[in-house]
Amino acid sequence: MDSLRVEGGARLAGTVDISGSKNAVLPMLCATILAPGEYTLGNVPLLRDVTTLSSLLRTLGIRTHREGHTLRVDSTGVVPNEAHYDLVRTMRASVYVLGPLLARFGHARVSLPGGCAWGPRPIDLHLKAMEALGAAVRLDHGTIDASGAPLIGTRIDFPISSVGATGNAVMAAVLAEGKTVLGNAAREPEISSLCEFLVAMGARIDGIGSGVLEIEGVAELHPADAVVIPDRIEAGTYLVAAALTGGDVTVRGARSDHLEATLAALRSAGVEFEERGGEIVVRGGGEISPLRVETEPYPGFPTDMQAQLMTLLLFGRGKSEIVENIFPDRFKHVPELNRMGGSIRVEGKSAFIRGVGALTGAPVMASDLRASAALVLAGLIASGTTRISRVYHIDRGYERIEEKLAGLGGRIWRVRRS
Ligand code: EPZ
């Protein structure tokens, strides 16, 4: 297993290009199940999760061919085979094949997912949405077995905002008979871009981005081409890296309108930056002010930026607090940051961070994707060497992270393990 070695102390400077969004492209790939044919997706990030999902889709008869950041998908031969545990367990987003398979074939068998290490990751809201649309859903030795044709449009009010459940419900409803209304639907840009892709395929969806989606079922859909939106979490991660190292960095290709809560938090922490046409220029080096932030569904402060912000607040002058409202115990990075000299105390949903102003390098272990990113950021600023093991967690969601950081002057190397 590869590891990353980071030597702290470099001030980042220069320009970094943001890749396409992992959480946008994964449901779009699954949407190709809904209509047989050839698709061309642009700005597809080079990520482990994309490779993993492509392998899963291949077991369903879908062929993919990558040409740089363009991915050609041919779903002509898709068949409703079972989505097997060995692939599904490594990536929770695999559950996105459930809705499309059920909508297209009236039947789906999908292994219960695995995914990141923290807390239980239930999919009850996904399954309840399929049942609401008229499917019979049962658990068969660890595999979800859902059947029902045709699906019948209905109103579904999600008790909590769920990105995945919203995506699955939309992909099931687009071929249902009649109208489906999804209340408390996720407003994340990745779900809006999925809806726009489905509309390009001939679906009828109103209220995109509003929290209430109205879907008029159609008899069939057709392939469409699309360009994947930029990854707002990757962008936020590089903004924090710049602020942390006091560098002057241009983050290019991000969409500021997808980053409003993140930019507001960084501005409140004293980070100076300016936005101009697809670029965000960070002027690092100012004092970091303490902050209290709560993670919320979009457009609130994203849970996927929680760990990265925590690293920054270790350099705040005073006490900060981050409340993690989305996932129970998404604080796996706290013990590792404390081993690097951080002073963070977790009480329930809150992490209390005391600005220590310095960190020391240490051997640490990556756990979930964003916790790992926070450890890389900490290594950039820590004195001495930080070695991050199990770096495959990072490769799931960050394209060529060591190349991009080294391109900004970061002293970071991948140590390949046979
Ligand atoms: C998506 O996960 C993202 N993954 C996550 O990003 C992100 O952290 C999360 O949304 C929240 O924004 C992808 O898009 C592939 P949820 P998802 O359903 O869909 C609970 C990353 O780093 N819940 O919005 O799994 C759930 O436990 C990853 O890129 C249920 O209770 O998240 C959580 O507490 C990590 N029952 C809350 O809802 C369900 O059926 C929000 O989860 C589904 C979810």
Side-chain angles (χ1 to χ4, degrees):
M1 277 190 260
D2 292 358
S3 64
L4 289 175
R5 179 164 65 84
V6 190
E7 297 293 343
R11 225 176 129 272
L12 299 185
T15 298
V16 60
D17 286 314
I18 297 307
S19 301
S21 162
K22 166 175 88 78
N23 294 347
V25 71
L26 295 176
M28 289 167 75
L29 281 172
C30 296
T32 65
I33 293 169
L34 290 163
E38 295 182 2
Y39 302 69
T40 299
L41 302 181
N43 197 33
V44 174
L46 301 163
L47 298 173
R48 188 185 177 92
D49 273 8
V50 174
T51 308
T52 302
L53 186 57
S54 299
S55 306
L56 172 61
L57 294 178
R58 198 172 309 121
T59 67
L60 304 179
I62 294 177
R63 293 204 311 277
T64 59
H65 173 67
R66 177 181 274 289
E67 293 159 18
H69 287 99
T70 297
L71 191 68
R72 301 196 190 287
V73 184
D74 184 347
S75 66
T76 310
V78 63
V79 287
N81 292 337
E82 176 165 332
H84 275 291
Y85 178 67
D86 56 348
L87 279 166
V88 172
R89 69 182 169 80
T90 60
M91 187 186 62
R92 174 182 170 74
S94 308
V95 75
Y96 271 137
V97 300
L98 174 64
L101 284 172
L102 184 57
R104 175 91 189 279
F105 297 102
H107 184 227
R109 282 180 63 79
V110 182
S111 168
L112 273 176
C116 291
W118 72 88
R121 296 291 299 275
I123 58 165
D124 57 313
L125 299 179
H126 298 239
L127 303 183
K128 285 175 186 154
M130 301 304 128
E131 288 176 331
L133 289 163
V137 178
R138 65 187 175 87
L139 200 46
D140 174 14
H141 298 88
T143 293
I144 303 150
D145 186 302
S147 54
L151 296 178
I152 310 294
T154 185
R155 174 158 188 127
I156 300 170
D157 287 297
F158 289 111
I160 54 171
S161 173
S162 162
V163 172
T166 302
N168 246 330
V170 170
M171 289 193 279
V174 290
L175 290 178
E177 279 185 4
K179 180 174 183 177
T180 296
V181 178
L182 300 180
N184 197 18
R187 299 173 58 193
E188 275 70 3
E190 296 79 26
I191 293 300
S192 295
S193 78
L194 169 66
C195 291
E196 283 150 14
F197 182 49
L198 291 166
V199 166
M201 291 170 61
R204 293 172 54 191
I205 304 174
D206 286 317
I208 297 177
S210 75
V212 179
L213 292 170
E214 299 199 0
I215 299 128
E216 196 65 55
V218 294
E220 65 178 15
L221 296 173
H222 54 76
D225 297 342
V227 175
V228 179
I229 59 172
D231 195 311
R232 61 192 168 101
I233 305 302
E234 185 198 24
T237 304
Y238 286 107
L239 289 171
V240 171
L244 204 53
T245 60
D248 288 347
V249 172
T250 298
V251 173
R252 188 163 58 186
R255 281 196 43 179
S256 300
D257 59 325
H258 290 167
L259 278 160
E260 283 175 9
T262 298
L263 293 173
L266 293 177
R267 197 175 289 117
S268 306
V271 179
E272 291 182 22
F273 53 82
E274 55 181 302
E275 306 159 54
R276 52 176 187 230
E279 292 187 346
I280 304 170
V281 183
V282 180
R283 298 255 175 271
E287 251 186 30
I288 301 298
S289 310
L291 206 52
R292 182 182 190 283
V293 172
E294 298 215 23
T295 65
E296 291 167 338
Y298 193 88
F301 185 80
T303 174
D304 290 348
M305 279 300 301
Q306 179 253 103
Q308 299 92 310
L309 181 68
M310 190 180 289
T311 301
L312 180 67
L313 292 176
L314 284 172
F315 291 80
R317 303 181 73 81
K319 294 184 188 311
S320 297
E321 180 185 0
I322 297 181
V323 183
E324 172 54 66
N325 291 310
I326 305 296
F327 288 105
D329 87 11
R330 194 181 188 178
F331 288 131
K332 289 280 186 303
H333 41 291
V334 169
E336 298 291 64
L337 288 173
N338 283 342
R339 288 181 59 241
M340 296 177 73
S343 172
I344 308 163
R345 179 171 49 83
V346 171
E347 271 179 28
K349 299 198 297 186
S350 287
F352 297 96
I353 303 118
R354 187 168 60 81
V356 292
L359 292 175
T360 54
V364 291
M365 189 175 291
S367 53
D368 90 46
L369 168 56
R370 306 306 171 181
S372 314
L375 297 176
V376 173
L377 296 180
L380 289 172
I381 191 72
S383 61
T385 304
T386 300
R387 187 182 291 277
I388 299 143
S389 57
R390 299 189 177 182
V391 89
Y392 59 86
H393 286 290
I394 298 179
D395 294 335
R396 291 187 51 184
Y398 286 91
E399 177 179 325
R400 299 177 296 114
I401 190 167
E402 76 274 14
E403 286 176 40
K404 291 193 179 186
L405 284 172
L408 292 171
R411 295 161 63 205
I412 177 170
W413 300 268
R414 181 177 292 259
V415 179
R416 295 208 181 279
R417 282 273 175 280
S418 53

